[in-house]
Amino acid sequence: MPEPADVQRGLEDVVALESRICYIDGKGGRLIYDGYDIRDLAAQSTFEEVAYLLWYGRLPTASQLAELTTRLAGLRVLPDTVLQILREMPKDALPMDVLRTAVSALAVFEPEETKPGAASIGGAQRLTAVLPTILGTFHSLRNGKEPPAPRPELSHASWLLRAIRGTDPDPLEARALDVALILHADHELNASTFAARVTASTLSDLYSAVTSAIGTLKGPLHGGANERVMELLDEIGSPDRAEEVVRAKLARHERIMGFGHRVYKVEDPRATILRDWSKKVGEAKGSLRYFDLLRAVEGVVHREKGLYPNVDLYSGSVYALLGIPRDLFTPVFAVSRVAGWTAHVLEEYEDLRLIRPTARYVGPVDLAYVPIADRGVAIDGPKPPA
Ligand code: CMC
């Protein structure tokens, strides 16, 4: 058999395609969307502006931004059929499962976007606009309340908080969430974006690609880490216990969530920005408990393992301070990343090539086929799963 090239487990360092959307400088600790440094975007832009940048490849003018903002606000309403599906969901369903199911169901009722190979900026905007409504609706229903009434005058971030909490955010809260959405909007070929592009590369549609991406983001090694960080803080309880708890976990070879990254070899710049916001929101709320615990954990992990924080270390503390329930943290990630997923799918269609890597075969060849009637004794080979 011909020998394929070396296996790159996890496709590490494999350059799979060209993209104009996002650049990660893993050694320099920089993240760039379409040429703009994430630090500038986090300091000066809004989520709507960043979504425009990712979709169109340039910053909008004031009138283009106003038009997009109005358009997104107008696309927030769910069809009655999808609302009905959300009403049928068990109250204890996992929110990521609900989100995935709702997006998949939406496709059935918005068929113009689901023809093979269909993807438009209109579809990208529709999905981006509607995810906060799906989350807010499910969260209200599971708490025995009616879905949130539309508030088209609110920004994307404010609407997301309003839809989840049922109360309007103050300016600092709205800005904190807006920054978190900006920071999570894209991240090159992360696992969920790759899943979206693989789906699109078969000439499948945008809604299918986003459904794949949501399923991929659900995993704790990708989207689910910040929830686990908060569980760790619960376990630690007070900063003086950080050393003991973290060292014990490391001794058991457990991973500490919120640390390490496949691409960043230094601190993730998103973590740097979110650390500041965790402090700022904590001060405004009169509690630096999470911040102090996280700083203590950071010190131990860096000392013991030389690992740096990633985006998930501080994001959970910001969300918790904003009153977002823990099981909505990963769905909030999806609310932001959908801008990037859809931008990548649109880009994939522009220069489509079926994504289909190859595997090094390690099984046998040339086995003689034994008719079933003659298989009296078990043939050696992999056992079926129990
Ligand atoms: N805690 C303890 N040890 C770690 C951690 C961690 N968080 N991350 C990496 N290591 C160790 C790992 O055990 C291994 O050590 P050894 O060589 O002794 O076995 C070494 O570092 C290399 O790890 P790796 O798994 O080969 O590295 P990777 O590039 O596959 O891992 C990662 C990247 C994000 C999966 C990993 O760092 C991890 O599991 N982190 C915790 C989960 C987490 O925070 N995920 C959010 C990622 S950021 C969100 C995003 O951008 O999607």
Side-chain angles (χ1 to χ4, degrees), residues 181-349:
L181 295 182
I182 291 168
L183 298 178
H184 288 83
D186 198 54
H187 212 228
E188 201 225 36
L189 279 196
N190 60 90
S192 57
T193 302
F194 189 59
R197 287 192 80 133
V198 169
T199 304
S201 86
T202 68
L203 265 185
S204 186
D205 63 278
L206 179 69
Y207 284 42
S208 297
V210 170
T211 305
S212 300
I214 295 172
T216 309
L217 183 67
K218 183 181 165 190
L221 294 189
H222 187 6
N226 53 6
E227 217 178 312
R228 313 284 164 100
V229 170
M230 298 309 283
E231 286 163 12
L232 175 67
L233 300 193
D234 289 345
E235 190 183 337
I236 294 174
S238 65
D240 57 333
R241 290 196 64 239
E243 179 98 28
E244 176 196 336
V245 175
V246 171
R247 285 181 67 150
K249 283 184 181 297
L250 291 174
R252 293 193 297 270
H253 301 288
E254 285 178 31
R255 289 193 175 219
I256 311 298
M257 295 291 135
F259 291 90
H261 201 276
R262 177 61 67 81
V263 185
Y264 293 114
K265 304 302 170 207
V266 294
E267 180 163 294
D268 179 339
R270 303 168 300 174
T272 316
I273 297 166
L274 282 169
R275 185 190 289 114
D276 286 350
W277 277 96
S278 176
K279 186 158 187 244
K280 213 181 289 187
V281 180
E283 281 167 351
K285 301 274 177 193
S287 170
L288 287 176
R289 189 173 161 268
Y290 293 142
F291 181 78
D292 291 340
L293 280 165
L294 288 165
R295 289 297 282 165
V297 173
E298 227 188 295
V300 184
V301 174
H302 189 68
R303 200 165 54 245
E304 294 293 317
K305 294 286 287 186
L307 288 167
Y308 293 97
N310 62 47
V311 68
D312 281 297
L313 188 67
Y314 284 93
S315 61
S317 64
V318 174
Y319 297 156
L321 288 163
L322 295 179
I324 298 174
R326 276 186 202 178
D327 67 350
L328 297 189
F329 289 2
T330 312
V332 165
F333 190 159
V335 162
S336 164
R337 186 58 58 84
V338 69
W341 290 334
T342 51
H344 278 270
V345 169
L346 292 167
E347 188 180 62
E348 184 64 36
Y349 287 132

Side-chain angles (χ1 to χ4, degrees), residues 150-192:
R151 291 282 300 278
E153 78 284 8
L154 295 181
S155 71
H156 199 71
S158 295
W159 165 240
L160 175 60
L161 262 185
R162 164 90 211 173
I164 292 173
R165 301 192 320 196
T167 54
D168 283 356
D170 66 32
L172 184 93
E173 290 177 325
R175 184 62 193 152
L177 190 59
D178 202 19
V179 170
L181 295 182
I182 291 168
L183 298 178
H184 288 83
D186 198 54
H187 212 228
E188 201 225 36
L189 279 196
N190 60 90
S192 57

Side-chain angles (χ1 to χ4, degrees), residues 53-126:
L53 175 66
L54 296 172
W55 290 327
Y56 295 93
R58 58 179 190 278
L59 287 173
T61 62
S63 65
Q64 285 167 334
L65 180 58
E67 199 184 311
L68 176 69
T69 303
T70 307
R71 193 168 155 66
L72 287 176
L75 288 169
R76 286 176 186 159
V77 179
L78 280 171
D80 287 346
T81 39
V82 175
L83 183 57
Q84 196 49 43
I85 289 170
L86 290 175
R87 287 188 188 280
E88 300 290 326
M89 293 284 170
K91 287 187 169 35
D92 60 354
L94 291 178
M96 281 301 274
D97 291 344
V98 173
L99 200 61
R100 193 192 58 234
T101 306
V103 167
S104 184
L106 205 58
V108 178
F109 301 105
E110 296 181 355
E112 68 282 3
E113 287 296 339
T114 56
K115 293 190 192 84
S120 65
I121 288 203
Q125 293 171 353
R126 168 62 167 153

Side-chain angles (χ1 to χ4, degrees), residues 2-20:
E3 279 293 301
D6 282 347
V7 175
Q8 296 294 335
R9 290 190 69 236
L11 299 185
E12 188 164 357
D13 294 331
V14 171
V15 179
L17 48 88
E18 290 187 335
S19 175
R20 59 128 185 105

